[in-house]
Amino acid sequence: MAQQVIVFRISSWNTVLFRSFVKRKGIWIIALVALFVLSSAASFHPHCSNNNNNNNNIQHSPRYYYYYCSKLKASSYGRSSTSDETAMLSLLQQKTVKELLQIAKNYPEYSSKIRLKKDLLQFVATRYHTPIRQQQPDNVSSSSSTTTPDPQQTTTTRKTTVRVRGMPSYQPAYYDTTTTHNRNNEDTVLIQQGEEHDIINTKTKNNSIGTLSKKEILHDLVLNRYPPLQQQSTRFTTTTEPAAAVDMEDIRAQHHPMLLHLNKTSSDLDIVFIGTASCVPSSTRGVSCTALRLNWRRTNTNGESSTTAGEYYHEPGTWLFDCGECTQLQLQRTSYVRPGKITKIFITHAHGDHSFGLPGVLCLLGKDRPRDAPPLEIYGPEGLRMWLRVAIRYSVSRIVPNYIVHELKNIPMAPEWRHTSGYNSKSGNSRGKFFLSLSNKNKEQKEDKSSLLVPWGPRGLAGEDPSAWISQAQTVNLQADHNFGEVSEGRDIYPQFDHPDCVHGAPIWEVENEGDVAVFAAPMSHGIPCVGYVVKEQTKPGRLRPDLVQPIIERNFNALKESVIRNPLKIMAVIKNLPVGSSFTFPDGTVIKQSDVVEHPIQGRKIVILGDTLDPRAIEGLAKNADVLIHEATNTYLSGIDSRTSLEEVTLDCKRHGHSTPYMAGEFAKRIGVKRLILNHFSSRYKGDQCLDSIAIMTRIERQAIEASGLPETHVASGWDFMMLPVIKDEDKS
């Protein structure tokens, strides 16, 4: 008796293990037809899940989803669109990230920056005009979400045009071209310290809470602040261009709130940020280097700097503060700073991201600098002179220009820093290594509430640790040689503990005084000897009112000419430079008081440039009411980005390494009453390019400093490479 056995095993729609013992051809044909019908039906089932590549090509194709959406729309005729979207989302949400990626890659608009499942869902859903609806908060009624917007409110519909260099090719779905957003209260987006230190709140004009997420609110703020970021590309391309690292036509220079009203203002004193990163340079940031352009500097006909009376012509000069590695390259990437105009270099401390670029910069300057030019003056902590001498002599760098090194002697460590036990327990040498003693710091604060900390001691690091370079440099027998650029030994600048601006027992160094401008230094709390610099412009006499003086001169013109004065009009300069309270008597007996014809003196500008520090309290006296404070903000806590940590942990870690957070920088700015705060020395994880995500992160860092300092957003900025800030004179000060 013939038996027929048919065994089917289906692992996917096209994988069939078929075994049969069939004697009649009709049954064979019927079985094949049935298998084909079953497999075809399974391949178009919306919830089927399999791993075969051919089936994936069908399921993950735009044609399949277009077919499914059409069927879904036809079957849901007469129902609400919400059920359609729910069904569509239920289909997509069952997919894994890998499957969603395969679907998204079929669209020309796809970018490799779309990686999160939420963004992939938004991207695929919006291809067929079914955007994911934002969930309303529980405490918001449904009526608030359907309220007709006030016609007085201005709404903007984003348009996609030509792509800006350095911008991502994909914009998240909540910035779809058909979406409109309220722009009236973008400045109310704040980061509040009381709620995880990073909660962004927003309210519309009718007091209804917006339905955008925190990230969406922040991006909305950034996109409104920088309009070119809205020009995202919708061109059909399968590749993405790399983000531009730096660009002289930076959109931040045109649209940042601090620079909006300063771009059209000319100033004789500018700050240019050559590098704003810490540790190591990257493709988007160079390491620490700040240029100060003194455009009013005068030199006499002999080429010597002077501020006394005589024949002068105006020649710009540039001072560099810190010179980390890659500075040589950064100087050639910007037209804001001409290497041939650099006359002074100030080093805050010996760490490589502040000093490794110095030999290379000297070689760059020596290429176009004549040998008979005045020597380049270099200032820095003790040991810099011998270190630079060894580096140039070892590399046989005869191309360097003539230079002089002035050393700041006896820079003390802050009292909260202690020697380590040392790698060699027998010798007890610490090899220059210090650690932050937080427990002792808190104990000292409790014992002496009248002072923040134990006063700084007069002893420097030299000789205290025999193995430290500062101690060993004194024993190196290597003299200055003009064949290698060093024309003399330079000055040894010692600290002053009786300076009127000394605070907390810390010393002050009078680094340079050229009459119209002076430079001072004070110690910083860091892991090695470090200083911060204060550049103070001399207070200048007020403007002379010629309308009050010239009629008197004309009346006494002949009498003045008969005297020794050949040009009576020069009397105006004499009157302007009279001491306060004095007077001048004309031949006809007319007496003019200096205070009657000269306006109030113009207070000199003050710029504070700090080195690495966790507490710059020693420079408070010098930095009071500064026009610009440049403060480091190496790291911070950003919720949604930093996991398994907190602001307290990040702050403690910063302090242990001798660094600061934006909150710490803002608190110090508030304490000294600074007018503008610029943050720099950022960790390498904070990129400095012009893409939306990078600018959004730096905006969050700015918001933290704004909250701590109390300054408006027009007075706080996170620096970027080649940022140029004019320092405007405040002629209203008296």
Side-chain angles (χ1 to χ4, degrees):
M1 179 178 172
Q3 296 182 355
Q4 300 175 355
V5 179
I6 301 177
V7 180
F8 293 92
R9 182 181 178 183
I10 303 177
S11 60
S12 62
W13 72 274
N14 67 343
T15 304
V16 179
L17 180 62
F18 181 71
R19 297 178 180 178
S20 175
F21 299 95
V22 182
K23 292 184 177 180
R24 297 183 180 180
K25 296 182 180 179
I27 297 178
W28 177 282
I29 296 174
I30 293 173
L32 289 177
V33 172
L35 176 61
F36 177 80
V37 173
L38 290 174
S39 62
S40 300
S43 64
F44 285 95
H45 195 277
H47 300 287
C48 66
S49 177
N50 44 64
N51 299 320
N52 187 273
N53 293 333
N54 294 334
N55 188 45
N56 288 338
N57 293 336
I58 295 178
Q59 283 243 353
H60 299 153
S61 64
R63 181 178 299 179
Y64 168 77
Y65 278 96
Y66 181 77
Y67 169 81
Y68 179 80
C69 291
S70 301
K71 292 293 184 181
L72 186 64
K73 184 175 181 180
S75 62
S76 60
Y77 178 76
R79 296 184 304 180
S80 64
S81 61
T82 304
S83 59
D84 297 347
E85 297 178 11
T86 303
M88 184 64 183
L89 289 179
S90 63
L91 170 64
L92 294 176
Q93 289 172 351
Q94 294 178 10
K95 299 298 180 183
T96 64
V97 174
K98 183 177 181 180
E99 293 172 339
L100 289 173
L101 278 172
Q102 293 178 350
I103 297 173
K105 287 179 180 179
N106 289 278
Y107 296 101
E109 301 90 343
Y110 172 73
S111 167
S112 60
K113 294 182 180 293
I114 312 174
R115 297 177 181 177
L116 298 179
K117 186 172 182 179
K118 180 181 71 173
D119 293 338
L120 287 168
L121 288 172
Q122 294 278 11
F123 177 79
V124 176
T126 52
R127 295 310 95 187
Y128 294 102
H129 309 289
T130 55
I132 299 176
R133 294 181 181 271
Q134 299 291 341
Q135 298 296 330
Q136 293 284 353
D138 297 336
N139 57 348
V140 180
S141 61
S142 59
S143 60
S144 64
S145 61
T146 57
T147 303
T148 304
D150 190 349
Q152 299 295 333
Q153 297 180 351
T154 305
T155 58
T156 305
T157 303
R158 293 191 178 89
K159 299 180 180 180
T160 55
T161 56
V162 181
R163 178 182 175 184
V164 178
R165 180 189 174 198
M167 308 306 164
S169 60
Y170 165 66
Q171 197 174 40
Y174 41 81
Y175 294 122
D176 190 73
T177 55
T178 60
T179 307
T180 59
H181 299 281
N182 193 313
R183 311 295 183 203
N184 292 329
N185 294 282
E186 60 185 29
D187 293 335
T188 62
V189 182
L190 298 175
I191 296 178
Q192 301 181 358
Q193 188 172 358
E195 305 175 7
E196 297 182 354
H197 306 274
D198 190 28
I199 295 181
I200 304 174
N201 294 328
T202 184
K203 291 186 177 181
T204 58
K205 196 169 184 178
N206 58 3
N207 295 326
S208 62
I209 301 177
T211 60
L212 298 177
S213 67
K214 299 175 186 178
K215 180 179 179 182
E216 295 168 359
I217 295 170
L218 180 65
H219 281 195
D220 192 54
L221 169 66
V222 173
L223 288 170
N224 281 276
R225 176 181 289 183
Y226 304 100
L229 284 175
Q230 300 181 19
Q231 301 176 357
Q232 305 295 342
S233 173
T234 57
R235 293 173 297 178
F236 294 142
T237 176
T238 57
T239 60
T240 57
E241 301 176 8
V246 289
D247 196 332
M248 297 306 299
E249 298 179 357
D250 199 302
I251 62 173
R252 292 163 291 191
Q254 303 296 326
H255 302 282
H256 193 281
M258 178 180 285
L259 302 178
L260 276 177
H261 66 286
L262 295 178
N263 282 335
K264 299 179 181 180
T265 305
S266 61
S267 174
D268 58 1
L269 184 62
D270 302 320
I271 302 173
V272 181
F273 293 86
I274 306 300
T276 55
S278 64
C279 194
V280 294
S282 67
S283 60
T284 61
R285 291 188 192 272
V287 288
S288 298
C289 182
T290 304
L292 184 64
R293 302 195 308 180
L294 297 89
N295 301 323
W296 83 86
R297 301 296 295 173
R298 300 178 299 176
T299 57
N300 59 27
T301 54
N302 295 327
E304 299 176 355
S305 178
S306 176
T307 57
T308 60
E311 297 298 329
Y312 301 100
Y313 65 93
H314 292 274
E315 182 180 16
T318 301
W319 296 355
L320 294 186
F321 290 83
D322 281 330
C323 198
E325 59 178 313
C326 193
T327 300
Q328 181 182 10
L329 176 61
Q330 292 287 92
L331 289 174
Q332 299 178 73
R333 300 177 68 186
T334 176
S335 60
Y336 292 149
V337 177
R338 296 177 60 184
K341 297 296 183 181
I342 298 174
T343 58
K344 298 181 187 295
I345 299 177
F346 300 84
I347 304 297
T348 59
H349 62 293
H351 278 156
D353 57 339
H354 297 258
S355 64
F356 279 173
L358 185 55
V361 168
L362 290 181
C363 293
L364 175 65
L365 300 184
K367 293 172 59 178
D368 302 322
R369 198 182 188 96
R371 278 293 178 181
D372 57 349
L376 177 72
E377 296 188 86
I378 304 171
Y379 307 80
E382 188 173 1
L384 175 63
R385 182 184 297 135
M386 186 57 66
W387 174 82
L388 185 59
R389 188 179 297 170
V390 170
I392 293 176
R393 197 74 60 87
Y394 174 75
S395 59
V396 197
S397 300
R398 301 181 185 273
I399 195 177
V400 298
N402 294 334
Y403 72 91
I404 301 175
V405 178
H406 308 295
E407 287 189 341
L408 279 61
K409 296 290 188 178
N410 299 337
I411 300 176
M413 295 294 295
E416 60 267 23
W417 290 88
R418 301 286 189 267
H419 275 282
T420 59
S421 58
Y423 296 100
N424 189 341
S425 59
K426 294 182 180 180
S427 64
N429 294 336
S430 66
R431 298 188 181 180
K433 182 69 174 179
F434 286 77
F435 72 97
L436 183 65
S437 178
L438 294 175
S439 59
N440 291 340
K441 178 180 177 181
N442 295 334
K443 182 179 179 181
E444 291 162 357
Q445 287 178 336
K446 293 179 182 179
E447 292 177 353
D448 185 9
K449 296 183 180 179
S450 63
S451 177
L452 292 176
L453 287 173
V454 172
W456 298 60
R459 182 177 59 182
L461 188 61
E464 184 173 343
D465 182 5
S467 63
W469 167 254
I470 296 179
S471 300
Q472 293 293 329
Q474 300 176 356
T475 65
V476 178
N477 186 18
L478 188 62
Q479 302 301 319
D481 188 347
H482 69 277
N483 293 317
F484 292 92
E486 190 173 6
V487 296
S488 67
E489 287 285 339
R491 294 182 291 122
D492 291 336
I493 308 171
Y494 288 91
Q496 301 177 14
F497 287 85
D498 56 351
H499 193 278
D501 291 326
C502 285
V503 292
H504 307 300
I508 287 177
W509 290 263
E510 291 186 356
V511 180
E512 190 61 82
N513 189 349
E514 296 188 347
D516 56 347
V517 63
V519 181
F520 301 88
M524 299 286 101
S525 179
H526 193 50
I528 65 172
C530 178
V531 297
Y533 292 101
V534 177
V535 181
K536 297 178 67 175
E537 182 186 16
Q538 182 186 27
T539 299
K540 299 179 180 179
R543 186 175 63 90
L544 177 71
R545 298 186 58 183
D547 57 321
L548 300 178
V549 180
Q550 192 166 357
I552 302 175
I553 294 177
E554 293 176 354
R555 190 167 63 242
N556 293 269
F557 189 85
N558 293 331
L560 291 172
K561 195 170 183 180
E562 290 176 359
S563 62
V564 183
I565 304 175
R566 294 184 178 180
N567 186 2
L569 293 178
K570 289 186 177 181
I571 292 295
M572 288 193 292
V574 175
I575 296 174
K576 180 179 179 180
N577 295 324
L578 287 174
V580 178
S582 59
S583 60
F584 182 85
T585 303
F586 283 88
D588 63 352
T590 304
V591 178
I592 291 182
K593 293 183 178 180
Q594 189 266 357
S595 58
D596 293 337
V597 296
V598 178
E599 296 178 350
H600 292 294
I602 302 174
Q603 189 70 25
R605 291 161 288 187
K606 185 187 296 185
I607 300 171
V608 181
I609 303 175
L610 301 183
D612 292 358
T613 182
L614 68 92
D615 187 356
R617 65 187 182 278
I619 208 170
E620 282 184 13
L622 288 169
K624 280 290 185 182
N625 303 317
D627 293 88
V628 178
L629 168 64
I630 301 175
H631 197 299
E632 67 132 293
T634 304
N635 206 354
T636 190
Y637 170 75
L638 300 175
S639 65
I641 297 178
D642 302 325
S643 59
R644 299 180 181 179
T645 186
S646 64
L647 178 62
E648 291 74 15
E649 293 179 359
V650 173
T651 302
L652 181 60
D653 185 67
C654 267
K655 290 182 176 180
R656 285 173 176 168
H657 290 85
H659 295 297
S660 300
T661 66
Y663 287 112
M664 297 166 64
E667 290 169 358
F668 180 72
K670 184 176 182 179
R671 204 157 68 233
I672 65 174
V674 73
K675 296 176 179 60
R676 286 185 175 85
L677 170 62
I678 313 296
L679 305 176
N680 71 342
H681 198 266
F682 301 109
S683 168
S684 57
R685 70 195 192 101
Y686 302 128
K687 296 182 179 180
D689 55 14
Q690 303 179 58
C691 73
L692 176 61
D693 288 338
S694 298
I695 295 181
I697 288 176
M698 301 314 297
T699 301
R700 294 179 66 180
I701 291 176
E702 287 178 7
R703 293 285 172 176
Q704 293 180 356
I706 289 171
E707 179 188 346
S709 65
L711 293 170
E713 67 173 6
T714 55
H715 288 65
V716 178
S718 296
W720 60 87
D721 287 9
F722 309 137
M723 172 185 177
M724 197 266 286
L725 175 68
V727 184
I728 308 301
K729 291 182 180 179
D730 189 0
E731 298 185 359
D732 296 331
K733 290 190 298 182
S734 60

